[in-house]
Amino acid sequence: MLDSETKRRIDSARDILVGKVPDPKSQVEQITIALVYKFMDDMDKQSVAMEGKASFFKGEFKKYSWTNIFDPRLGGAEMLNLYGEAITSMSQNANLPELFRNIFKNAFLPYRDPETLKLFLKTINEFTYDHSEKLGDAFEYLLSVLGSQGDAGQFRTPRHIIDFMVQVIDPKKNETVLDPACGTAGFLISAYKYMVQSAKESGKPLNAQDKKRIYENFKGYDISPDMVRLSLVNLYLHGFVTPQIYEYDSLTSEDRWNEYADVILANPPFMSPKGGIQPHKRFSVQSNRSEVLFVDYMAEHLTPNGRAAIIVPEGIIFQSAGAYKQLRKYLIEHNFLWAVVSLPAGAFNPYSGVKTSILFLDKSLAKKTDKVLFVKVENDGFGLGAQRNPIDKNDLPQTLKVLNSFRTSILDGKTASFAPETDSALLVSISTLAENDYNLGADRYREVIRTGKQNCPIVSMADVCEKILDGSHTIPKGVEFSEYLMLSSKNIVDGKITFDDPRYLSEKDFFSENRRTNLTAGDVLLTIVGALGRTALVPSDLKNVVLQRSVAVLKVNKRVILPEYLKVALDGEELQKIIKSRAQGVAQKGLYLGDIAKLPVPLPTMEVQRQIVDEIAAHQRIIDGARQVVEEWEPDIEIDEEWDKVKLGDICENLDSQRKPVTKSDRVQGQYPYYGASGIVDYVEDYIFDGKYLLVSEDGANLLARSTPIAFSIEGKVWVNNHAHILKFEEPATQSFVEIYLNSIDLSNFVTGAAQPKLSQGNMNKIEIPLPPLEVQREIVARIERERSIVEGNRELIRIYEEKVKKVIERVWEG
């Protein structure tokens, strides 16, 4: 477990570097080089203290020892020159083992500030060489700052996902383990820790011979020399004195084709370079897509009893292109695939929104069953937003239990009687998969209505309602305005009755229709045509309202059921699924009154109903208060008349000429955001911009409607089409200030066109910006960011309490 002091030191080292070395990957490399440098000096000192000799800093390299770097007689410039010269020369030091020489290969000092270096090395000096778990975990924490290796299409796999995959695979101490796209060696480290812990729990901890065998059995390949360097250090700090990590292209080289492994764990690159991969001819599936080839490679390189866990993008799961289908068919028909776990779409946030799944392969297990298990993970213990904050909901432990149970049933020959213990799991026969192009999307095979045992009576809607009615089937002619209203399903929104755009009726028509529905307080309204399943309660002050046929009126028997409770039951996922599954019609689906009467309703005691209603009402009050903050807050700037007024085109660089629109049919799915006028519209495999920019809508109805911001900041590697202007500012505060200001003013005078509103580049450049001094800009932006943080906190509060409401409703069905 990473201790707070070690974490503080690593954070401190990064904070010192960030002003001179802004790229996280370069920060990690500089800290890695400095740590290894310091550890070599520590080992030399240990050797001398034990009456031995220095191994690393001797001969012509003695002058580079860490002790000499810190000689108080050296001035700042001399220290900088000596350290810079040392790290560039160390790869030529014949006294170093090859591992260390590889770490220093191509190393250099990317800045020339003596004070920065002095502070940085002082922080590194606080570390001491140690093979303990503490230092290995510290290095893994350092590696966690690496976001995406975008050029290779590789994203850092969250630690808890790695550990889950390893638990399912259950690697043994005598097995060979391979990651053919190892990155920073996260999977190999997790597999090693799992073996150590398993041995402890068995009462037979690993001995020296066990560890030696493990060190020899673990291998990793990566095409990136930077990743190889980091993997070497990571494994070395976990006790692997001579780690077997190789700079190797698993897809185009045949040098290691004949090497196999008992266990393969990987999150291979999702993206292929332009023109695709040029693989050799030994693959069973012919493709130039990296994700296809990597899965094929891993399947083909398992030993006869081998197992693999592979993270794959959604294309592997359901795309119908020949290579994807061929791969799925190969995995199933050649007895590799036994389980697929679908991960939530935000599992790789904040680095990527790519939806992923995990394929579990087992050559001996798959031969013994004619079914594949599918499990859907809705929550993995962390929120699915950019921050990925911990949450209470975590489906991974239950998923692990289901996978282990299915594996046991296969080994015991009892798959015929196996039934998953959770509705998130589904067994599908191989014959059914074959009939569906081997599609591995479980939702295609999942039944709509969940089944389960209930602990309270289930009655029909007819049992709890005195009458079930609907509105007018022949809509009367409307009048221009009156006090009498006719409402439809569009007026039932967010659990309430709204009066937007009603039909006004004459007094005669109203009273004629009122005889049909005759609304009274406590009636439950249910939309049954078009937008199915919306609900509302009729309040006591509702007057002069009748309904169209699209809304049903449930006149509840208040002696057996509370109207508020019936609304809760109708809002629940169970009844919503049933309502939608029973709807009939082609052009517009709807429910008949007879279908409504047969709807199932869980009916606990009146006391329990009241408890449920009160609990939800308490949660709803918090939701409503937080929603008011979210909906009513708008960033504002109090303009000072003395501020300079500048044209927008004079304070930024316009990059519109570099934009490239790509039609949807021509886009290749990837991890880079594809931006349009109002935000991300897709993800593609390449990018044309890399940095911080302000996008401003160029066209579209939103320029006038302003339902979403027309100016928004973006950062990183992105693609932008020709529906958004792209502006680059030298000062981040100015960009943020301009973004806030543009979103707060009326731009209609700058917008041309009626059918298709457009903000041309010329008109945009003319927009006057009241620009205060830079210090004031920063103060304003900081204040608004503080307010925004509070608003986001309320948004998170809404999410949390809506989840609580959902759980209460789920309890209705659980009894």
Side-chain angles (χ1 to χ4, degrees):
M1 182 66 69
L2 178 66
D3 66 280
S4 58
E5 181 60 23
T6 305
K7 179 178 180 295
R8 180 199 64 76
R9 290 172 183 165
I10 292 172
D11 289 339
S12 178
R14 289 193 61 228
D15 289 343
I16 292 167
L17 289 177
V18 72
K20 302 293 181 183
V21 187
D23 176 41
K25 180 168 167 287
S26 297
Q27 295 167 14
V28 171
E29 289 175 352
Q30 289 301 310
I31 295 172
T32 299
I33 290 166
L35 283 174
V36 173
Y37 197 135
K38 170 66 164 57
F39 296 160
M40 290 192 305
D41 195 74
D42 286 348
M43 286 186 276
D44 269 359
K45 287 180 179 177
Q46 289 177 8
S47 178
V48 171
M50 298 173 67
E51 299 183 356
K53 296 181 179 180
S55 299
F56 307 126
F57 297 104
K58 63 182 182 179
E60 62 179 303
F61 289 92
K62 184 176 182 180
K63 62 181 179 180
Y64 297 132
S65 72
W66 189 265
T67 304
N68 289 340
I69 295 286
F70 269 84
D71 189 331
R73 293 171 294 181
L74 289 182
E78 293 173 300
M79 180 188 203
L80 185 141
N81 290 334
L82 184 61
Y83 180 75
E85 180 184 322
I87 63 173
T88 56
S89 304
M90 208 58 67
S91 64
Q92 307 302 316
N93 186 349
N95 302 315
L96 303 188
E98 183 180 4
L99 165 64
F100 287 179
R101 291 201 303 274
N102 287 338
I103 291 167
F104 284 100
K105 188 177 180 181
N106 300 322
F108 70 99
L109 189 63
Y111 58 90
R112 303 299 297 174
D113 180 11
E115 287 303 313
T116 298
L117 178 66
K118 189 172 183 180
L119 284 172
F120 172 64
L121 294 184
K122 184 178 179 182
T123 300
I124 297 298
N125 198 47
E126 296 176 10
F127 291 92
T128 56
Y129 176 71
D130 190 340
H131 275 314
S132 71
E133 192 71 12
K134 178 195 297 186
L135 196 51
D137 286 343
F139 190 69
E140 287 187 67
Y141 170 70
L142 173 62
L143 295 180
S144 73
V145 307
L146 287 176
S148 66
Q149 298 303 311
D151 294 336
Q154 177 70 64
F155 295 93
R156 183 179 66 84
T157 314
R159 169 58 52 191
H160 64 289
I161 300 295
I162 292 176
D163 291 344
F164 164 74
M165 293 166 66
V166 170
Q167 286 177 297
V168 175
I169 292 298
D170 187 28
K172 307 300 183 184
K173 65 182 182 181
N174 61 337
E175 292 184 314
T176 53
V177 180
L178 170 67
D179 183 347
C182 66
T184 59
F187 280 102
L188 298 178
I189 297 297
S190 179
Y192 172 67
K193 290 182 176 180
Y194 179 86
M195 291 180 182
V196 171
Q197 185 61 32
S198 297
K200 285 182 180 179
E201 292 175 356
S202 70
K204 297 179 180 179
L206 298 178
N207 56 36
Q209 189 62 33
D210 292 330
K211 290 184 177 180
K212 182 177 182 297
R213 185 187 303 113
I214 290 173
Y215 298 156
E216 293 171 350
N217 284 345
F218 276 50
K219 288 183 182 179
Y221 311 148
D222 203 283
I223 196 172
S224 165
D226 294 331
M227 290 297 103
V228 169
R229 178 187 300 177
L230 295 175
S231 291
L232 289 171
V233 176
N234 199 9
L235 286 164
Y236 185 83
L237 294 177
H238 283 85
F240 289 68
V241 178
T242 55
Q244 299 185 78
I245 303 294
Y246 304 98
E247 185 179 336
Y248 178 70
D249 187 342
S250 303
L251 306 184
T252 63
S253 174
E254 298 183 59
D255 293 349
R256 296 182 179 275
W257 183 264
N258 295 322
E259 297 179 11
Y260 297 85
D262 301 313
V263 169
I264 299 180
L265 299 154
N267 174 16
F270 296 171
M271 189 191 79
S272 301
K274 290 181 179 178
I277 303 291
Q278 301 299 319
H280 53 71
K281 303 300 182 182
R282 300 181 69 175
F283 289 93
S284 295
V285 179
Q286 300 305 307
S287 175
N288 62 356
R289 303 293 304 174
S290 63
E291 64 270 33
V292 173
L293 293 170
F294 264 113
V295 176
D296 181 1
Y297 180 94
M298 288 180 259
E300 295 199 52
H301 284 79
L302 290 173
T303 57
N305 293 315
R307 311 180 300 290
I310 314 163
I311 295 177
V312 297
E314 285 296 270
I316 294 289
I317 300 299
F318 60 76
Q319 276 199 21
S320 57
Y324 293 99
K325 178 182 174 181
Q326 185 185 355
L327 174 67
R328 296 192 296 266
K329 182 178 180 181
Y330 174 72
L331 294 178
I332 293 170
E333 291 194 348
H334 287 77
N335 299 311
F336 288 107
L337 186 69
W338 68 280
V340 180
V341 172
S342 171
L343 295 176
F348 280 80
N349 279 335
Y351 313 120
S352 172
V354 174
K355 175 75 175 68
T356 58
S357 295
I358 305 171
L359 303 183
F360 288 101
L361 313 183
D362 189 317
K363 291 184 70 172
S364 65
L365 199 66
K367 292 177 182 177
K368 300 174 182 178
T369 179
D370 62 352
K371 294 181 175 64
V372 174
L373 176 66
F374 293 85
V375 188
K376 186 175 184 178
V377 175
E378 299 279 4
N379 295 281
D380 63 347
F382 296 86
L384 300 177
Q387 300 303 316
R388 293 287 275 150
N389 295 318
I391 60 173
D392 294 335
K393 189 75 171 177
N394 186 358
D395 301 332
L396 292 179
Q398 177 68 18
T399 301
L400 176 63
K401 182 179 178 182
V402 171
L403 290 167
N404 286 339
S405 296
F406 181 53
R407 176 164 44 209
T408 300
S409 74
I410 295 173
L411 295 175
D412 292 345
K414 298 180 179 179
T415 53
S417 61
F418 175 77
E421 298 178 8
T422 171
D423 294 326
S424 63
L426 183 70
L427 268 183
V428 181
S429 68
I430 288 176
S431 60
T432 300
L433 293 172
E435 292 169 2
N436 288 273
D437 289 337
Y438 300 93
N439 188 299
L440 300 181
D443 288 341
R444 172 174 289 210
Y445 312 103
R446 197 179 300 278
E447 293 181 6
V448 175
I449 304 173
R450 189 178 81 137
T451 59
K453 296 180 180 179
Q454 315 297 336
N455 295 321
C456 66
I458 303 295
V459 300
S460 70
M461 188 68 72
D463 293 330
V464 296
C465 291
E466 295 176 345
K467 290 182 179 180
I468 300 175
L469 310 169
D470 59 1
S472 174
H473 289 238
T474 56
I475 303 173
K477 182 179 179 180
V479 298
E480 186 174 350
F481 183 80
S482 79
E483 62 181 300
Y484 303 109
L485 309 178
M486 174 173 274
L487 305 181
S488 67
S489 59
K490 70 180 181 182
N491 299 106
I492 310 298
V493 181
D494 292 334
K496 297 181 177 63
I497 300 172
T498 69
F499 299 92
D500 297 335
D501 191 26
R503 177 181 290 268
Y504 297 105
L505 301 182
S506 67
E507 182 176 0
K508 178 182 176 182
D509 285 336
F510 172 79
F511 282 104
S512 174
E513 296 301 324
N514 191 36
R515 285 194 296 272
R516 181 178 181 85
T517 50
N518 188 25
L519 297 178
T520 56
D523 288 346
V524 178
L525 305 184
L526 174 68
T527 59
I528 58 171
V529 175
L532 296 170
R534 297 178 183 175
T535 64
L537 286 175
V538 174
S540 58
D541 59 352
L542 186 70
K543 297 178 181 178
N544 299 339
V545 169
V546 290
L547 301 170
Q548 292 184 19
R549 182 265 188 261
S550 58
V551 183
V553 183
L554 310 178
K555 292 187 171 293
V556 304
N557 182 346
K558 297 178 183 177
R559 296 184 300 276
V560 297
I561 194 168
L562 297 174
E564 299 87 349
Y565 169 78
L566 180 56
K567 182 181 183 305
V568 166
L570 284 166
D571 288 339
E573 184 178 356
E574 296 295 333
L575 267 177
Q576 287 293 313
K577 286 182 178 178
I578 295 171
I579 287 170
K580 290 174 176 59
S581 71
R582 295 185 181 179
Q584 302 179 51
V586 179
Q588 189 175 48
K589 291 197 171 186
L591 281 178
Y592 292 107
L593 296 184
D595 294 325
I596 300 172
K598 297 175 184 177
L599 291 175
V601 179
L603 190 65
T605 65
M606 292 290 279
E607 180 182 1
V608 173
Q609 292 178 41
R610 173 56 61 191
Q611 291 173 355
I612 291 170
V613 169
D614 289 347
E615 188 173 355
I616 288 180
H619 294 337
Q620 193 62 48
R621 284 193 292 272
I622 295 174
I623 292 171
D624 291 342
R627 184 169 285 134
Q628 184 176 1
V629 173
V630 170
E631 292 176 353
E632 295 188 4
W633 178 79
E634 290 184 359
D636 66 295
I637 299 174
E638 295 182 9
I639 306 299
D640 189 326
E641 294 300 323
E642 295 185 0
W643 290 350
D644 292 338
K645 290 182 173 60
V646 297
K647 298 289 179 59
L648 178 56
D650 294 335
I651 58 174
C652 63
E653 180 185 1
N654 188 288
L655 304 178
D656 285 1
S657 63
Q658 301 177 33
R659 302 174 303 179
K660 294 180 184 178
V662 184
T663 61
K664 188 171 182 63
S665 60
D666 291 335
R667 293 177 210 153
V668 179
Q669 291 296 299
Q671 74 271 27
Y672 300 113
Y674 181 89
Y675 281 94
S678 299
I680 297 173
V681 296
D682 207 344
Y683 287 87
V684 294
E685 70 166 355
D686 205 352
Y687 62 91
I688 52 177
F689 298 102
D690 184 5
K692 296 181 179 180
Y693 309 95
L694 181 67
L695 297 191
V696 179
S697 302
E698 180 170 347
D699 50 35
N702 189 54
L703 279 171
L704 299 177
R706 305 294 284 271
S707 56
T708 60
I710 58 107
F712 49 97
S713 290
I714 63 172
E715 183 174 356
K717 295 179 172 68
V718 300
W719 194 293
V720 180
N721 67 20
N722 59 354
H723 295 291
H725 299 293
I726 181 162
L727 310 179
K728 185 170 182 61
F729 292 78
E730 290 186 5
E731 171 56 50
T734 303
Q735 176 174 318
S736 298
F737 181 89
V738 170
E739 176 185 355
I740 295 164
Y741 181 73
L742 290 178
N743 286 322
S744 68
I745 63 172
D746 181 7
L747 294 176
S748 57
N749 290 336
F750 299 92
V751 177
T752 59
Q756 176 67 1
K758 182 178 180 65
L759 176 62
S760 67
Q761 183 182 140
N763 283 348
M764 179 186 66
N765 289 340
K766 296 175 186 177
I767 298 172
E768 279 196 344
I769 309 292
L771 198 64
L774 185 56
E775 183 179 349
V776 177
Q777 294 176 41
R778 289 171 175 162
E779 291 174 357
I780 292 171
V781 170
R783 170 183 61 80
I784 290 175
E785 287 306 313
R786 288 194 299 272
E787 293 176 3
R788 195 188 307 277
S789 177
I790 294 171
V791 172
E792 289 304 312
N794 278 273
R795 204 183 302 276
E796 179 67 7
L797 199 63
I798 293 171
R799 188 199 65 75
I800 290 171
Y801 274 84
E802 284 181 340
E803 184 66 25
K804 289 187 177 184
V805 169
K806 182 180 178 181
K807 288 181 179 179
V808 174
I809 295 174
E810 287 174 354
R811 292 209 311 267
V812 168
W813 288 90
E814 293 168 358

